[in-house]
Amino acid sequence: MNKKYIIAAAFLILGAVNQSCSNDFVDVSPTEAIPESSIDIYNNNDGATSFVTAIYAKFLDWNMSTFAWIGVTSIVSDDADKGSSPGDTGSDKDILDALNFTPSTPSFKELFASNYQGINRCNQALKYIPQLDKADPALRDRLIGEAKFLRAFMYFTLVKSFGGVPLVDRIPVSGVEEDKKMVLTRKTKEEIYAFIEKDLKDAIAVLPDRSAYTGANVGRASIGAAHALLAKVYLYQKKWQLAVDESNLVTGYSLTQNFQDIYKVSGENNAESVFEINGSGGTAGRAIQQYSQVQGARGTTGWGWGFATPTQGLYDAYSATDTRRDATIIHKDMTLYDGYYVGPNVENKFYNYKAYSSDYRSSASTDVNIRYLRYAEVLLIKAEAMNELGQTSVAIPFLNMVRNRANIGNTPAVSQADVRTDIWKQRRLELAFEHDRWFDLVRTGQAEAAMAADGGKVFKVGKHELFPLPQDFIMEAGGLSAQNPGY
């Protein structure tokens, strides 16, 4: 959804329900379910919509989209250093940066818990919306598709991060042994991927084209977003032909001519945007909590905490003519697109430009959106999958579309191996700070070498491919789930 999120009503309906606490790591309290006697309150179009609006709202939370997420996707990778001041550890961001994390590292607990909180909201929507017979049937179908897309999105985050995880596909009931086992027992990663695929296929069957969304609904999950996410899910599983097939179904999008325009407020949900999380500054409860502040320049002429600073290695990976470099990385003594001058006295050499918000410098919120799926990535997914199928000459034009937009010309690569290397490089340069780099390094087998090149960090093969499951969860599981290898 766009900046006109109607979140207030959603929080009134679901806020207390979803944020209720218990002693369980994955909450199975009966307050996770709405009393059947109250369901009539929501038996209308607005009530039905509020269930799904509350799912989107979860992505605005600190524990879902901010400090922990930045840490486990950017700081842990070779794209970003911890940043900030040397003495400010950011709770555990120094540990993540050094690859010294353990099951007790707090960011993994937030990553795990926040996504299950969101999944619980999806499960509520999927249980109650079909019961709302006074809501428009077509709207109910669309909302169910959105909920399944968002549930698939969160399970994709979990399976990339932890491998096999519990498969919670309904609202658990306290005291029911089968439900307790459900929330505490890991399924295999293959089972999780199969579940994600089914949710996305179900979503595709009912979601509209993005052009059907207008006004406050702009930015909701569309059929294009579902095809794009499914293509990415297939890519991660090396299901190359299926990745190509799904990419081909992502239609009606185009590359934004000026790369930097994508990340301005005026570029939100534009022709290249396939799916993004929308934040709005100035109004409490509608912003992605402190996303800009955490990554903003630190110092007398800065506006933030200075975490997740781009590495010298990332800066040097761009050529001098690559228009993406100065649209991705803020450096000292730089004038930004809105005329703001970043002087020489900020604390760190580089900062994340994609998190920059003009609005944040004068308010306590951020109007930055997080871009999660763009048409440029769809082109790179298609190019990578085609190349792996041996269709290298057919793949190259899609790679070149991304390169040419960046003003670096056609790829010099010809062989399958060289094209593969360039595709991986362009993913890094194109998608820097869009929360993909660490997972790309792992899935492509580049992590060990990339970490060694990033200050001699040690990526332990057979261990670091997965994050550790939170220690609290392992203890609560009581033998129902085992820890990942090496932890």
Side-chain angles (χ1 to χ4, degrees):
M1 298 169 65
N2 73 359
K3 292 182 178 300
K4 298 180 178 67
Y5 266 130
I6 308 173
I7 290 174
F11 276 131
L12 285 172
I13 293 170
L14 292 174
V17 171
N18 282 281
Q19 300 304 322
S20 61
C21 298
S22 77
N23 293 325
D24 295 330
F25 189 75
V26 178
D27 193 357
V28 295
S29 165
T31 55
E32 286 293 325
I34 292 175
E36 299 292 340
S37 59
S38 301
I39 197 67
D40 281 348
I41 298 173
Y42 316 116
N43 199 359
N44 51 63
N45 287 350
D46 288 343
T49 302
S50 69
F51 279 95
V52 178
T53 301
I55 307 171
Y56 290 102
K58 180 61 199 173
F59 285 91
L60 306 179
D61 284 355
W62 167 269
N63 71 341
M64 175 72 105
S65 296
T66 309
F67 215 9
W69 182 234
I70 292 164
V72 302
T73 56
S74 294
I75 294 173
V76 74
S77 80
D78 59 342
D79 275 1
D81 293 321
K82 174 186 74 70
S84 189
S85 298
D88 190 344
T89 65
S91 174
D92 60 2
K93 305 308 175 288
D94 55 336
I95 294 171
L96 294 172
D97 197 11
L99 303 188
N100 288 332
F101 44 79
T102 71
S104 298
T105 300
S107 288
F108 299 126
K109 181 174 181 176
E110 291 205 2
L111 173 65
F112 189 86
S114 62
N115 279 278
Y116 276 108
Q117 289 163 6
I119 288 166
N120 280 339
R121 295 190 183 194
C122 295
N123 289 338
Q124 287 182 21
L126 292 169
K127 175 178 180 178
Y128 293 115
I129 290 174
Q131 300 177 34
L132 306 179
D133 56 4
K134 295 179 182 178
D136 179 75
L139 174 63
R140 283 186 291 155
D141 287 345
R142 191 202 84 198
L143 292 170
I144 288 169
E146 290 181 62
K148 288 194 173 185
F149 170 86
L150 293 167
R151 186 169 66 175
F153 188 98
M154 287 180 273
Y155 268 117
F156 188 42
T157 294
L158 289 168
V159 76
K160 289 186 297 181
S161 300
F162 302 108
V165 292
L167 182 51
V168 183
D169 62 355
R170 62 184 184 274
I171 301 172
V173 178
S174 181
V176 175
E177 187 65 21
E178 183 181 354
D179 284 1
K180 181 178 180 179
K181 288 182 179 179
M182 173 182 68
V183 301
L184 296 176
T185 304
R186 297 181 72 179
K187 297 291 186 180
T188 66
K189 68 176 183 179
E190 290 79 14
E191 289 174 303
I192 299 300
Y193 271 120
F195 185 78
I196 292 168
E197 291 174 16
K198 183 179 185 305
D199 261 359
L200 290 174
K201 290 174 183 176
D202 289 348
I204 286 166
V206 293
L207 286 177
D209 186 81
R210 68 173 186 156
S211 63
Y213 293 122
T214 59
N217 287 321
V218 170
R220 284 183 176 269
S222 66
I223 188 171
H227 281 304
L229 182 56
L230 187 53
K232 192 167 182 174
V233 167
Y234 285 142
L235 184 80
Y236 270 68
Q237 298 176 86
K238 296 181 169 58
K239 297 180 177 180
W240 308 120
Q241 187 57 58
L242 291 172
V244 173
D245 294 344
E246 290 300 320
S247 296
N248 286 336
L249 294 171
V250 183
T251 58
Y253 301 86
S254 61
L255 296 179
T256 300
Q257 184 175 2
N258 181 353
F259 185 78
Q260 187 168 69
D261 285 347
I262 300 168
Y263 305 96
K264 299 176 182 178
V265 172
S266 59
E268 293 170 353
N269 298 298
N270 70 4
E272 184 166 340
S273 173
V274 180
F275 182 69
E276 56 192 75
I277 296 300
N278 299 268
S280 178
T283 303
R286 298 187 181 184
I288 301 171
Q289 294 179 2
Q290 297 176 273
Y291 186 80
S292 294
Q293 183 182 35
V294 165
Q295 300 175 86
R298 184 170 184 140
T300 56
T301 57
W303 57 89
W305 298 358
F307 283 94
T309 54
T311 61
Q312 188 68 50
L314 174 62
Y315 186 88
D316 292 343
Y318 292 98
S319 69
T321 63
D322 195 325
T323 57
R324 296 172 298 191
R325 187 188 68 184
D326 290 345
T328 300
I329 300 174
I330 293 172
H331 58 75
K332 292 182 179 183
D333 194 29
M334 181 180 189
T335 299
L336 306 184
Y337 61 73
D338 59 0
Y340 185 81
Y341 174 62
V342 181
N345 297 322
V346 290
E347 192 160 339
N348 308 101
K349 184 176 182 180
F350 299 129
Y351 296 97
N352 175 11
Y353 209 162
K354 291 181 180 179
Y356 175 69
S357 164
S358 298
D359 182 70
Y360 177 71
R361 290 189 287 101
S362 59
S363 75
S365 300
T366 175
D367 54 0
V368 165
N369 285 7
I370 302 178
R371 279 70 172 178
Y372 274 125
L373 288 168
R374 294 190 286 111
Y375 188 58
E377 184 179 12
V378 175
L379 295 173
L380 291 173
I381 289 171
K382 188 187 300 188
E384 182 174 346
M386 284 181 165
N387 189 55
E388 296 303 326
L389 289 167
Q391 301 169 15
T392 300
S393 62
V394 182
I396 287 174
F398 298 108
L399 170 61
N400 284 339
M401 288 175 68
V402 176
R403 289 179 57 98
N404 286 320
R405 195 262 298 272
N407 195 38
I408 58 173
N410 290 341
T411 182
V414 176
S415 70
Q416 183 187 43
D418 289 346
V419 169
R420 177 186 298 121
T421 298
D422 194 24
I423 290 169
W424 290 349
K425 180 177 181 179
Q426 297 314 313
R427 280 191 65 88
R428 181 188 191 188
L429 303 181
E430 181 73 23
L431 303 175
F433 294 98
E434 294 179 41
H435 306 287
D436 273 310
R437 177 61 176 171
W438 174 260
F439 302 119
D440 269 348
L441 288 175
V442 170
R443 75 172 178 87
T444 59
Q446 301 176 84
E448 184 179 18
M451 292 297 99
D454 185 26
K457 297 173 186 176
V458 178
F459 179 94
K460 296 180 180 178
V461 176
K463 175 182 178 179
H464 285 146
E465 289 86 353
L466 297 174
F467 295 139
L469 285 159
Q471 186 61 32
D472 288 359
F473 169 75
I474 293 298
M475 292 177 65
E476 186 182 335
L480 291 174
S481 289
Q483 183 56 270
N484 281 324
Y487 298 103

